[in-house]
Amino acid sequence: MNDDYFGDVTGPIAFGGLDSADPLSFKVYQPDRVVLGKRMEDHLRVAVCLWHSFNWSGSDVFGAGTFDRPWLAPGLDPMAAARTKLDAAFEFMTKLGVPFFCFHDRDLAPEGRTFAESATNLDAMVAEAEAQMARTGVKLLWGTANLFSHPRYAAGAATNPDPEVFAYAAAQVKQMLEVTHRLGGANYVLWGGREGYETLLNTDLGREEAQLARFLTMVAEHKHRIGFTGTLLLEPKPQEPTKHQYDYDCATVDGFLVRHGLSGEYKVNIEVNHATLAGHSFHHEVAYAAGRGILGSVDVNRGDYQNGWDTDQFPNSVDELSLALYEIVRSGGLTTGGFNFDTKLRRQSMDRTDLFYAHIGGMDTLARALVVAAGMVERETLARHREARYAGWGTQLGSEILSGKQTLETLAARTAAGEFDPHPVSGRQELLENMVNREIWAADRRSGAGPDSRR
Ligand code: XLS
Ligand code: NI
Ligand code: NI
């Protein structure tokens, strides 16, 4: 087996702790460290993505690729290049020590001249991936179909004005769902990159919503037909590449699922930078999805607060991630989901080793956020305040209002009779913020101090 693409790095990356000066060691992430009764690796279920990390050359709209990625060099035989890319990816994942990966059909195998040729290419590469997975133990967190790169999808896939494009997308998703099933994937993702519009002047919103609903119903039906037991996930994003995307945010997706009888069939794959593009915090999106029972998986990254793009940077803010991790942990954790690094290196981070620095930093940030979140859960720091704030709803009045025993008339009569005299109480926001900071600062003592295995 090749071991050539990341020759500068000897894997597996070891835990070095906070005192280690080795940039190729984990400072906090320790797979076997037990946090709230569960191994860190099992809480986080980290995945590497094959698109930004292995199938992108560092090109942007203004310039050519900058990255040192021999398998993306022009002029290579596409299938040979795909095999090299897969070798490199599995070498990277094994050295990094992550349990999962994610890919689009087109990341694994090149598109052919016909659908049949694309399908054959994919099947051949899936066999290779299967062998790599068996050899390394790396598992598939989720698969997905690329329904946005090819020009045929410029006006959408399921929401295209042309039903033949819908049919083409259906064929692609059918194969990728089956591939994901064959590879034992834990989830299947649909991100509607072109399911939206550029201008309302040529767009029939009602028709496009009906098409999307039909498409997602067909996907759910096929999932059951083939016996795939993983979770179907929709990935919300408000815009980019289109001006407006229909799966705008978690609340929009939830409403769509309810409207079309698809609740229970789909959960959400929440991406940090998509949350912020939608004008929300990631914390908000996680809390919303958890509250609605649709929290599925996370594409972990971050945006840049000074621009409005999906910059997909590697996460590095413990403060922000801790709040989201807190909601995730207290809601029971990600079950079939995980944390997929849907992240792009900056264009000047050209070396292959930069992929290691980026993922190590991201995993340490996640690990540290998990330790902070666990502290908040263990000490019930926030939960006690939250419960006390709503205590009134546990009284007879509260339960009678919610159960429908009270009406506007009865409440008006009782208020007029002087029965109620509510007094505003402090929300204690600054106190709660201090409590969160204390957990973040105290985690310094705990985060490098795992009792167990160095690895
Ligand atoms: C793009 C999306 C994409 C999905 C998978 O913004 O994040 O990468 O995760 O199609
Ligand atoms: Ni994503
Ligand atoms: Ni993104």
Side-chain angles (χ1 to χ4, degrees), residues 235 269 271 274 299 342:
E235 184 174 322
N269 181 39
E271 181 163 317
H274 298 181
D299 272 5
D342 191 350

Side-chain angles (χ1 to χ4, degrees), residues 52 191 235 237 240 271 273-274 277 299 301 310-312 342:
H52 298 323
W191 169 61
E235 184 174 322
K237 187 174 183 182
E240 202 217 321
E271 181 163 317
N273 203 168
H274 298 181
L277 276 181
D299 272 5
N301 57 23
D310 190 18
T311 60
D312 291 333
D342 191 350

Side-chain angles (χ1 to χ4, degrees), residues 41 44-55 82 85-94 96-109 122 125-144 176 179-189 233 269 297-299 336-342 359 363:
E41 183 176 80
L44 298 177
R45 296 166 59 83
V46 169
V48 164
C49 87
L50 290 203
W51 49 104
H52 298 323
S53 292
F54 287 88
N55 208 24
K85 178 170 55 185
L86 195 69
D87 280 348
F90 273 85
E91 182 194 336
F92 175 77
M93 294 188 287
T94 321
L96 183 63
V98 290
F100 291 103
F101 74 117
C102 299
F103 70 93
H104 300 83
D105 45 3
R106 300 298 179 247
D107 303 320
L108 200 66
L122 182 58
M125 287 309 301
V126 166
E128 306 254 347
E130 203 166 31
Q132 295 270 17
M133 291 167 72
R135 180 179 67 81
T136 59
V138 176
K139 299 184 289 295
L140 180 61
L141 185 65
W142 49 262
T144 186
M176 253 322 280
V179 161
T180 302
H181 182 39
R182 168 174 167 192
L183 295 178
N187 310 271
Y188 184 85
V189 164
L233 301 172
N269 181 39
S297 199
V298 172
D299 272 5
T336 62
F339 284 89
N340 169 46
F341 279 90
D342 191 350
H359 283 86
M363 287 166 73

